[in-house]
Amino acid sequence: MSLISGCEDVSSEKSFYENADKYWKGVTPTVNGMLGGYSHINSVDIQESKKFLSPYLLGPNAKVGRTRALDCGAGIGRISKQFLLHSFDTVDLLEQNKAFLEEAKTFLGVQSAKRVGEFICSGMQDVILKDDHYDVIWIQWVTGHLTDEHFANFLKKCQRSLKRNGLIIIKENISSESVEWDETDSSVTRSYDDITAIFKKADLRIVQEKHQTNFPVEIYRVFIFALCPNQPVK
Ligand SMILES: C[S@@+](CC[C@H](N)C(=O)[O-])C[C@H]1O[C@@H](n2cnc3c(N)ncnc32)[C@H](O)[C@@H]1O
């Protein structure tokens, strides 16, 4: 059975993770580094993310709490600094690269860094999350670094870690047809059908999805998905 459905290029789990780790260790801890040289898309990305989440947090039909969020594959905290820390009392950062988390402490600024609950230095494939802990779990531009099984398992862990009415948000590149392999950073880009099959496997329901607009035409399409458990989590 393949580690990533439709992708024959990933045959060893060990080298898939090791090569990604090696790649990120060579990346400068800046916004430009986090965005693969596309720092100019930073503000449009953040604006659209805020617009997507805000009806769930504010206004008459808002049901999602604003106590605690988790930023997954957080890098230096680009999303936490510009968005999540403005919307939640506390944000935890989950990131495998120690140097990025160290940089985050400076990048976030002293006041914001004080509202980071935990800097969790771990791969998403290995992490243990606390039950009933987060209102929102934000996962952006990192799921291509997980095998199908680890991706589905991580989403199951996220479900258990959500508070009542909580949401998992996935913002990710989507390929137009089949899975595409990137040897440079050891990642895959899944198609819409492939990624949604993993949501289904993890027993998650799509509450809302949106295609990110105003991104350069030469990059992958980016979708934002809001997901919640199909069944109430015990
Ligand atoms: C493209 S960057 C995105 C960073 C951040 N989400 C953002 O949008 O600014 C991908 C990040 O995922 C991290 N990463 C890669 N594989 C990971 C894994 N298995 N577990 C946790 N983080 C991972 C990298 O170290 C890097 O910081």
Side-chain angles (χ1 to χ4, degrees):
M1 211 180 77
S2 58
L3 295 169
I4 294 166
S5 166
C7 177
E8 299 310 317
D9 300 281
V10 182
S11 53
S12 154
E13 193 174 283
K14 190 168 179 278
S15 57
F16 176 61
Y17 287 111
E18 279 178 1
N19 291 340
D21 186 37
K22 208 184 291 170
Y23 170 82
W24 285 106
K25 279 189 172 133
V27 171
T28 321
T30 58
V31 168
N32 203 39
M34 298 302 104
L35 296 177
Y38 276 81
S39 59
H40 52 287
I41 67 169
N42 173 58
S43 60
V44 68
D45 167 55
I46 297 288
Q47 271 166 32
E48 189 129 337
S49 297
K50 280 185 187 163
K51 213 163 113 190
F52 182 86
L53 191 63
S54 90
Y56 296 102
L57 303 180
L58 304 162
N61 300 319
K63 284 192 182 144
V64 180
R66 301 188 59 181
T67 308
R68 197 171 192 121
L70 176 66
D71 183 356
C72 302
I76 59 168
R78 182 185 71 88
I79 301 163
S80 289
K81 175 176 177 156
Q82 299 178 96
F83 165 37
L84 297 175
L85 279 159
H86 299 284
S87 303
F88 298 90
D89 298 338
T90 305
V91 177
D92 293 343
L93 271 61
L94 166 59
E95 165 59 49
Q96 69 171 11
N97 184 307
K98 206 171 164 209
F100 290 170
L101 283 181
E102 275 311 306
E103 177 61 24
K105 291 174 188 166
T106 311
F107 176 73
L108 293 172
V110 181
Q111 291 311 319
S112 293
K114 278 187 191 157
R115 287 195 298 107
V116 172
E118 281 185 89
F119 292 89
I120 307 166
C121 191
S122 170
M124 288 154 71
Q125 63 278 17
D126 301 319
V127 73
I128 296 167
L129 299 176
K130 293 187 179 102
D131 283 356
D132 194 18
H133 203 53
Y134 297 110
D135 297 301
V136 165
I137 300 179
W138 195 275
I139 310 167
Q140 181 164 351
W141 281 326
V142 64
T143 68
H145 283 299
L146 299 176
T147 64
D148 288 353
E149 195 184 344
H150 285 155
F151 187 3
N153 283 344
F154 180 71
L155 290 176
K156 286 182 194 157
K157 288 189 248 182
C158 288
Q159 286 197 42
R160 291 192 292 275
S161 198
L162 280 183
K163 289 187 186 168
R164 193 178 149 79
N165 295 324
L167 284 178
I168 298 168
I169 309 287
I170 296 195
K171 188 163 183 178
E172 195 51 88
N173 292 344
I174 300 293
S175 65
S176 50
E177 284 176 27
S178 49
V179 173
E180 291 184 21
W181 163 240
D182 186 342
E183 196 178 356
T184 313
D185 66 356
S186 189
S187 74
V188 292
T189 300
R190 295 180 170 90
S191 67
Y192 180 90
D193 287 351
D194 289 318
I195 201 166
T196 53
I198 292 177
F199 301 161
K200 205 170 164 197
K201 199 169 161 201
D203 207 16
L204 288 169
R205 178 169 67 82
I206 300 176
V207 178
Q208 190 192 349
E209 64 180 59
K210 189 175 185 316
H211 177 203
Q212 163 83 42
T213 52
N214 298 320
F215 267 4
V217 287
E218 73 272 18
I219 66 173
Y220 282 112
R221 290 178 308 155
V222 172
F223 276 73
I224 318 181
F225 299 95
L227 307 165
C228 77
N230 249 331
Q231 323 272 343
V233 182
K234 283 173 206 128

